């Protein structure tokens, strides 16, 4: 076509089938689209989950029998350090970014996050951090020498990380990888906050924001408040190691307790940060599959914000055994107990949402049910740990291991599974297999509880955490054996999940726009949504805009 | 290899306490578990009931939505206030027990024992400053029925964080460098109670065993008197002693009354009075002692005692000498 214009015309977009592999790859690598970044975050997180899970399998193989030597002590210490670091910083944190990026703009009727380039920057920094962490296995004299993967535990208590006790670069890998990983979380948080403030569609008042968005907004604030404490501590550690500072160097008057304060000022908000995406998911999935609005949404918003605030003041319940004064211990008992109240409110409200509804047993809903029961266990063992005198017996024992796996797997991971079954159709445009999903669910429930329920008892009969082996005859053998069996059942369950994701992506049933008959805005656009999310920016009049559309005689806005 | 050492109560069950702190901790544990148990039954019951009872029935699957209920302030208030009342009970009880354990002082006119425990990678150094005793990994304390002979410990660390835990006697207290922590116990029953380091402290954290030997007061005094003496001078092993003194062993180990004055490793003055070697790795038999001295790294990989590459002759002599250190 001959024209007089001498600059190139924009080429017509090729249809997906015309993309070559390198073009498709480029489209992902160069993207600043929040939805693509969300899928990338979540996908990367799942890859790290598989890696961290493999480490856990080796840990359980080592502990299956007493005095076993599947791995040696140094290898074992690296395994649990890498497992914890991976699961917290490279599974739980990116999943938050993944869910927020994909869903927050869609749910509030925005076209994208407000800082898309920052968003992409955050993802690539996070990915860099994850790769750096695992590069430690081969870098820095890793394979040839004694190995340089971090081995000081995921909370890396100083002075174990100081030069005198951690020669070689293992602690540097740990600190730098997590600092980099933190960029992803911070970039997402800034984006979520700015997007929620600036980019809501007409009519989407704060009160009408879906509970999911409220929860992610609280999470974002918490991340911004908590991560700097960790980053500061890690820079101080690096200063100690390279410039002769003595913040935590106890051999030169530094303070080991200071590190603990820094770490847990980050670390306790962190455990709420990582459970919040599950809270967010439940607040959407339970109403839709109960066919009722979320019960007491204002109370739910109040509760999540209250948890956020109080969680900034409970950190020293990780430190009851440190020898703080009776008064400070009592203060942290009180604050840790009080945080149970808004957490309880959330569980009650989810239950009340099902009450009087018509509960549909989809896989997503089953995961929510399991979440409720398992998180209830985790909350109650949390109460036990908050009772400082009881905690003196339980802390650093397998009871604690059981407790936080009930929150992190029984809570967070089950919540993420529910989220995947629920939003996968939106992200991919195809339904996941419910049959495989049910298998996944039941194996996961059985495997998970078999793994971690016995560990409560192991802690009570004196088994400390982080020991690479134990003698027979201390009453621990049988429980460890069953715990390991449970772990392998979980392993199979997760494999089924991965198979389901891949298989459904290839030949799943087409999802359509709104497969669950849901009420929030993401279901009003196509599956997968176009890059610009909505053809026309929606205008909403209530917290459930799609309910209003589907029930014009009985819309929600009449009751607001 | 089972748990090394004889007579030890091998199940370190926190719910089978034999000293006051562990008793108090068990008491509050049972209260907490009872409250949490009741809450679990009620709430889990409600969740399961709602999930099962309100499941969608086949005949009404289509179209009909249930009544849309948005919430109720009264109900929210109820399930906020009731938990607040429950947690205030637990906070109050906790505060009382925290003070009772942490702020406990020796009773007036009592005769307490004072000891200092120093955590090392990966063993425990034990001093009794008033009794002139230094030993390792096994802590002897008197049985104390009425609290008159309770033992008060000062906890210090020579390197990294550790945690002192003997489940049947007392909960954990961390052992932190540059910091003195305190713990006390008053075992009401004679016996050997197993514990171990509970704060991850490096390679051999798993093998940082600890045992508390609670003895009736006269026996404890007898043990203390024997332990305070310098090492036995057995003329029949004078030659073996000379070999020991000529080796690098003395750079790290002390044998009181001899030129061996090292302080990096455990005091060996009364080595043979102890039940185990290597902080609980092996029971202390002549054969094990020989194996251990020959190559500690085989039994406790990464421990700070190196394989000294003694030849057979030297090994026999060193072990012969050590065996006389009763």
């Amino acid at each position: 076509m001959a024209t007089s214009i001498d600059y190139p015309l924009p080429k017509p977009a090729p249809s997906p089938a015309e993309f070559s592999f390198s073009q498709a790859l480029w489209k992902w690598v160069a993207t600043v689209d929040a939805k693509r970044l969300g899928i990338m975050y979540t996908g990367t997180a799942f890859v790290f989950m598989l890696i961290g899970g493999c480490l856990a399998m080796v840990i359980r193989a080592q502990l299956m029998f007493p005095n076993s030597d599947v791995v040696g002590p140094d290898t074992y210490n690296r395994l649990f350090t890498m497992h914890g670091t991976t699961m917290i910083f490279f599974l739980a944190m990116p999943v938050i970014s993944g869910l927020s990026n994909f869903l927050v703009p869609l749910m509030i009727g925005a076209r994208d996050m407000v800082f898309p380039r920052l968003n992409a920057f955050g993802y690539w920094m996070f990915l860099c951090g994850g790769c750096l962490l695992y590069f430690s296995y081969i870098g820095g004299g890793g394979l040839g020498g004694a190995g340089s993967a971090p081995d000081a535990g995921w909370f890396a208590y100083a002075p174990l990380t100081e030069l005198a006790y951690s020669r070689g670069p293992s602690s540097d890998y740990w600190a730098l990888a997590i600092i980099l990983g933190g960029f992803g979380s911070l970039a997402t948080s800034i984006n979520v906050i700015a997007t929620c403030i600036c980019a809501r569609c007409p009519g989407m008042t704060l009160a009408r924001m879906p509970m999911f968005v409220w929860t992610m907004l609280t999470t974002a604030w918490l991340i911004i408040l908590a991560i700097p404490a960790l980053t500061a501590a890690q820079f101080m550690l690096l200063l100690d190691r390279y410039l002769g500072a003595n913040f935590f160097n106890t051999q030169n008057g530094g303070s080991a307790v200071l590190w603990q304060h820094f770490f847990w000022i980050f670390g306790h908000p962190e455990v709420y940060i990582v459970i919040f995406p599950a809270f967010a998911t439940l607040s959407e999935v339970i109403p839709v599959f109960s066919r009722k609005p979320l019960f007491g949404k204002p109370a739910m918003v109040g509760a999540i914000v209250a948890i956020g605030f109080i969680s900034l003041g409970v950190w020293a319940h990780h430190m009851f055994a440190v020898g703080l004064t009776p008064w400070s211990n009592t203060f942290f008992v009180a604050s840790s107990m009080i945080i149970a109240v808004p957490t309880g409110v959330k569980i009650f409200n989810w239950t009340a949402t099902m009450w009087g509804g018509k509960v549909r047993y989809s896989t997503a809903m089953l995961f929510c049910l399991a979440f409720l029961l398992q998180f209830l266990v985790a909350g109650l063992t949390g109460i036990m740990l908050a009772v400082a005198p009881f905690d003196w017996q339980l802390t650093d024992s397998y009871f604690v291991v059981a407790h936080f796996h009930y929150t992190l797997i029984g809570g967070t991971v089950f919540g993420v599974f529910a989220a995947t079954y629920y939003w996968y159709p939106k992200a991919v445009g195809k339904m996941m297999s419910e049959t495989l999903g049910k298998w996944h669910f039941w194996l996961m429930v059985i495997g998970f509880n078999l793994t971690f329920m016995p560990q409560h008892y192991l802690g009570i009969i004196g088994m400390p955490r982080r020991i690479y082996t134990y003698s027979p005859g201390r009453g621990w053998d049988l429980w460890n054996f069953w715990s390991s069996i449970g772990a392998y059942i979980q392993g199979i369950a997760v494999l089924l999940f991965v198979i389901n994701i891949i298989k459904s992506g290839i030949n799943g049933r087409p999802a359509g726009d709104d497969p669950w008959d849901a009420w929030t805005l993401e279901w009003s656009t196509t599956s997968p949504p176009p890059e610009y999310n909505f053809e026309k920016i929606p205008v909403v009049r209530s917290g459930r805009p799609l309910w209003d559309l589907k029930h014009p005689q009985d819309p929600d806005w009449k009751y607001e | 290899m089972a748990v090394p050492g004889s007579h030890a109560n091998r199940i370190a069950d926190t719910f089978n306490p034999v000293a006051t702190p562990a008793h108090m901790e068990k008491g509050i544990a049972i209260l907490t578990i009872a409250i949490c148990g009741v809450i679990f039954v009620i709430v889990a019951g409600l969740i399961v009931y709602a999930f099962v009872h309100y499941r969608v029935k086949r005949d009404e699957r289509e179209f009909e939505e249930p009544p849309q209920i948005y919430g109720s302030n009264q109900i929210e208030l109820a399930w906020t206030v009731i938990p607040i009342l429950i947690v205030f009970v637990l906070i109050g009880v906790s505060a009382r027990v925290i003070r009772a354990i942490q702020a406990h002082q020796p009773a007036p006119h009592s005769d307490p024992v004072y000891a200092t425990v120093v955590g090392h990678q990966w063993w425990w150094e034990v001093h009794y400053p008033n009794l002139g005793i230094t030993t390792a990994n096994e802590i002897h304390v008197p049985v104390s029925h009425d609290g008159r002979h309770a033992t008060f410990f000062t906890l210090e660390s020579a390197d990294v964080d550790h945690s002192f835990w003997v489940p049947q006697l007392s909960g954990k207290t961390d052992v932190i460098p540059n910091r003195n922590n305190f713990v006390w116990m008053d075992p009401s029953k004679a016996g050997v109670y197993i514990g171990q380091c509970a704060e991850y402290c490096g390679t051999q954290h798993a093998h940082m065993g600890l045992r508390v030997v609670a003895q009736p007061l006269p026996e404890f005094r007898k043990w203390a008197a024997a332990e305070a003496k310098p090492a036995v001078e057995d003329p029949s092993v004078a030659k073996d002693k000379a070999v020991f003194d000529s080796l690098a062993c003395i750079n790290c180990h002390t044998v009181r009354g001899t030129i061996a004055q090292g302080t990096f490793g455990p005091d060996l003055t009364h080595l043979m009075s102890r039940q185990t070697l290597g902080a609980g790795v092996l029971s202390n038999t002549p054969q094990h002692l020989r194996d251990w001295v020959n190559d500690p790294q085989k039994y406790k990989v990464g421990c700070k005692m190196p394989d000294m590459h003694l030849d057979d002759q030297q090994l026999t002599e060193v072990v012969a000498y050590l065996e006389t250190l009763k």
Side-chain angles (χ1 to χ4, degrees):
Chain A
M1 188 169 70
T3 66
S4 58
I5 306 166
D6 55 358
Y7 52 84
L9 278 170
K11 283 187 217 146
S15 74
E18 291 172 50
F19 277 123
S20 71
F21 175 75
S22 61
Q23 277 171 315
L25 187 68
W26 179 249
K27 213 166 157 51
W28 285 94
V29 170
T31 189
V32 292
D33 175 11
K35 291 180 299 302
R36 277 176 186 264
L37 286 167
I39 292 170
M40 284 154 74
Y41 267 118
T42 315
T44 316
F46 284 160
V47 170
F48 280 116
M49 175 175 78
L50 295 180
I51 299 172
C54 291
L55 302 182
M57 296 297 129
V58 184
I59 290 175
R60 284 318 314 173
Q62 165 70 10
L63 293 179
M64 195 163 182
F65 299 105
N67 281 339
S68 79
D69 44 7
V70 175
V71 293
D74 283 323
T75 311
Y76 183 86
N77 296 341
R78 290 190 194 108
L79 283 173
F80 72 68
T81 302
M82 293 292 277
H83 169 77
T85 306
T86 305
M87 292 309 202
I88 294 288
F89 295 103
F90 298 98
L91 164 63
M93 296 301 278
V95 153
I96 298 171
S97 299
L99 289 175
S100 303
N101 270 317
F102 193 88
L103 291 166
V104 167
L106 279 172
M107 281 188 168
I108 60 174
R111 293 226 184 271
D112 200 336
M113 288 286 196
V114 295
F115 305 122
R117 280 154 205 269
L118 174 70
N119 211 357
F121 170 75
Y123 170 79
W124 293 104
M125 292 302 270
F126 145 76
L127 185 64
C128 240
C131 294
L132 185 65
L133 183 70
Y134 275 89
F135 182 70
S136 68
Y137 263 115
I138 49 173
L143 285 180
S148 52
D151 59 356
W154 85 274
F155 42 74
Y157 272 5
L160 208 51
T161 47
E162 292 287 340
L163 277 182
Y165 306 104
S166 173
R167 294 166 200 281
S170 62
S171 295
D172 307 321
Y173 278 117
W174 181 81
L176 290 169
I178 292 174
I179 290 171
L180 284 179
F183 277 97
S185 304
L186 286 173
T188 306
S189 301
I190 293 167
N191 254 320
V192 168
I193 293 170
T195 308
C196 285
I197 293 173
C198 306
R200 280 170 285 128
C201 67
M204 180 64 77
T205 60
L206 284 178
R208 288 178 190 159
M209 275 201 321
M211 192 60 214
F212 181 95
V213 181
W214 263 107
T215 313
M216 285 313 193
L217 179 59
T218 317
T219 314
W221 275 112
L222 268 186
I223 287 175
I224 283 184
L225 291 173
I227 292 251
L230 176 69
T231 310
Q234 284 171 325
F235 273 108
M236 288 155 84
L237 175 64
L238 292 171
L239 289 175
D240 275 12
R241 287 174 63 85
Y242 285 103
L243 296 175
N246 290 308
F247 293 108
F248 314 118
N249 184 5
T250 48
Q251 294 188 315
N252 215 351
S255 168
V257 179
L258 182 66
W259 171 270
Q260 299 193 16
H261 280 298
F262 263 103
F263 190 87
W264 292 118
I265 284 174
F266 150 78
H268 206 84
E270 170 71 7
V271 307
Y272 284 96
I273 289 168
V274 301
I275 193 69
F276 278 4
F279 282 9
T281 302
L282 259 72
S283 302
E284 298 303 324
V285 174
I286 291 181
V288 166
F289 290 110
S290 304
R291 309 312 302 159
K292 276 179 65 208
L294 184 63
F295 192 88
K297 188 179 159 200
M300 288 295 259
V301 172
I304 200 87
V305 174
I307 293 172
F309 270 108
I310 304 172
S311 77
L312 296 167
V314 299
W315 76 88
H317 69 213
H318 296 267
M319 298 166 61
F320 283 143
V322 161
L324 305 176
T325 62
W327 280 116
S328 31
N329 281 339
T330 306
F331 173 85
F332 285 103
V333 169
S335 60
S336 311
M337 289 279 180
I338 286 169
I339 206 167
V341 175
T343 314
V345 166
K346 297 197 79 72
I347 292 187
F348 297 140
N349 275 308
W350 288 319
T351 311
T353 305
M354 294 192 289
W355 206 274
K358 288 184 178 172
V359 181
R360 290 192 272 166
Y361 291 0
S362 69
T363 306
M365 188 64 184
L366 289 177
F367 274 107
C368 290
L369 172 76
F371 172 106
L372 286 176
L373 296 173
Q374 287 160 180
F375 189 71
L376 179 63
V377 173
L380 293 172
T381 53
I383 297 266
M384 296 176 199
L385 289 164
V387 173
F390 195 9
D391 179 80
W392 288 329
Q393 289 287 15
L394 298 179
T395 185
D396 274 316
S397 77
Y398 260 83
F399 189 93
V400 172
V401 177
H403 160 74
F404 69 71
H405 281 97
Y406 262 81
T407 65
L408 292 174
I409 298 183
T412 304
V413 172
F414 272 66
V416 169
F417 286 149
T420 310
Y421 282 96
Y422 183 66
W423 280 297
Y424 181 95
K426 179 51 61 182
V428 180
K430 296 186 176 165
M431 304 299 288
M432 287 181 80
S433 156
E434 285 283 308
T435 318
L436 264 177
K438 299 269 158 68
W439 274 99
H440 169 213
F441 170 75
W442 284 109
L443 284 174
M444 196 66 204
V445 166
I446 293 166
F448 164 74
N449 286 288
L450 184 59
T451 310
F452 293 105
M453 198 50 90
Q455 293 186 3
H456 291 107
Y457 183 64
L458 279 170
I460 284 173
I461 57 171
M463 181 165 170
R465 65 193 285 201
R466 297 177 164 180
I467 56 173
Y468 76 94
T469 190
Y470 54 93
S471 308
R474 298 198 62 180
W476 303 343
D477 314 12
L478 182 69
W479 306 102
N480 271 305
F481 175 79
W482 283 111
S483 184
S484 294
I485 297 290
Y488 297 121
I489 297 176
Q490 281 185 79
I492 297 169
V494 172
L495 278 184
L496 290 183
F497 173 64
V498 173
I499 292 171
N500 198 350
I501 285 186
I502 297 170
K503 200 172 144 279
S504 304
I506 297 167
N507 60 9
R509 195 156 49 80
D513 291 358
D514 183 13
W516 309 121
D517 192 7
W519 304 310
T520 38
L521 282 177
E522 77 270 29
W523 304 105
S524 69
T525 185
T526 54
S527 310
E531 220 163 308
Y532 42 84
N533 287 358
F534 305 97
E535 274 172 34
K536 228 175 83 197
I537 289 292
V539 178
V540 303
R541 295 183 69 184
S542 81
R544 294 194 298 167
L546 267 62
W547 171 274
D548 296 349
L549 281 179
K550 292 170 187 170
H551 301 269
Q553 317 80 5
D554 183 30
D556 258 10
W557 49 264
K558 273 193 186 162
Y559 304 98
E560 276 189 7
Chain B
M1 150 177 82
V3 183
S6 54
H7 312 307
N9 185 352
R10 285 161 190 194
I11 313 289
D13 184 359
T14 57
F15 278 70
N16 182 15
V18 290
T20 307
H23 262 297
M24 285 195 266
E25 283 152 7
K26 180 190 171 188
I28 198 168
I30 286 176
L31 174 72
T32 314
I33 291 174
I35 291 175
C36 291
V38 172
I39 295 174
F40 177 81
V41 170
I42 294 172
V43 179
L46 289 173
I47 293 170
V48 172
Y49 177 81
F51 191 79
V52 174
H53 184 81
Y54 295 106
R55 73 186 179 281
V56 68
K57 313 282 188 305
R58 209 163 274 283
D59 44 31
E60 56 179 18
R61 189 176 287 270
E62 302 297 326
F63 305 119
E64 190 90 359
E65 300 278 15
Q68 303 292 296
I69 313 289
Y70 297 90
S72 150
N73 288 339
Q74 287 84 349
I75 295 178
E76 298 290 345
L77 194 67
W79 63 40
T80 308
V81 170
I82 295 170
I84 287 178
L85 297 178
I86 295 172
V87 301
F88 268 91
V89 171
L90 284 172
I91 293 169
V93 179
S94 300
R96 220 185 56 198
V97 178
I98 288 171
R99 283 204 74 76
I101 293 178
Q102 276 199 294
H104 180 79
Q105 297 292 331
H109 314 299
S110 68
D111 179 20
V113 175
Y114 290 96
T116 303
V117 175
V118 185
H120 290 260
Q121 281 183 323
W122 293 278
W123 62 284
W124 305 90
E125 182 183 350
V126 188
H127 298 287
Y128 296 77
N130 301 340
L131 303 173
I133 297 171
T134 301
T135 177
N137 301 328
E138 283 163 33
I139 303 172
H140 287 245
V141 298
V143 169
S144 167
H145 288 294
D146 43 8
R148 274 181 46 78
H149 304 290
T151 308
F152 290 80
F153 294 94
T154 304
L155 305 177
E156 296 169 7
S157 167
D159 37 49
V160 299
D161 291 1
H162 304 278
S163 191
F164 181 89
W165 188 28
V166 187
Q168 288 180 273
L169 301 177
S170 171
K172 295 170 202 74
T173 307
D174 288 351
V175 177
I176 298 171
N178 290 349
R179 184 183 175 92
N180 288 348
N181 272 340
F182 303 95
V183 66
W184 62 281
M185 54 182 62
D186 56 345
S188 57
K189 218 166 70 189
V192 179
Y193 303 104
I194 286 194
Q196 72 190 88
C197 176
E199 185 71 81
Y200 174 64
C201 56
T203 309
Q204 278 294 349
H205 166 57
H207 286 141
M208 189 165 162
L210 171 68
R211 50 189 64 206
V212 172
V213 183
Q215 299 168 301
L217 189 63
E219 259 181 62
F220 172 75
R221 293 220 164 110
K222 223 171 86 192
W223 171 84
E227 201 77 6
K229 289 187 193 140
V232 182
E233 286 277 0
D234 187 340
S236 69
V237 293
K239 200 165 63 65
D240 304 321
K241 175 175 183 298
V243 173
F244 179 83
D245 287 348
S246 73
L247 290 168
C249 309
I250 63 170
N251 294 337
C252 293
H253 293 287
T254 294
V255 180
R256 267 175 284 140
T258 76
I259 62 162
Q261 295 293 328
T263 54
F264 196 69
D267 185 301
L268 301 179
T269 312
H270 300 285
L271 174 65
M272 298 316 287
S273 72
R274 304 209 279 262
Q275 298 174 356
T276 68
L277 298 169
V281 177
L282 295 169
S283 52
N284 190 0
T285 63
Q287 183 56 44
H288 282 159
L289 183 59
R290 188 184 168 92
D291 294 342
W292 175 260
V293 175
N294 185 30
D295 186 7
Q297 298 297 324
K298 193 171 154 197
Y299 302 95
K300 194 168 173 178
V301 189
C303 79
K304 305 280 180 186
M305 178 168 165
D307 173 1
M308 299 303 294
H309 299 289
L310 304 182
D311 61 36
D312 243 24
Q313 170 77 21
Q314 285 171 317
L315 193 58
T316 309
E317 287 160 346
V318 167
V319 172
Y321 172 58
L322 291 178
E323 278 173 17
T324 65
L325 299 175
K326 299 248 157 58

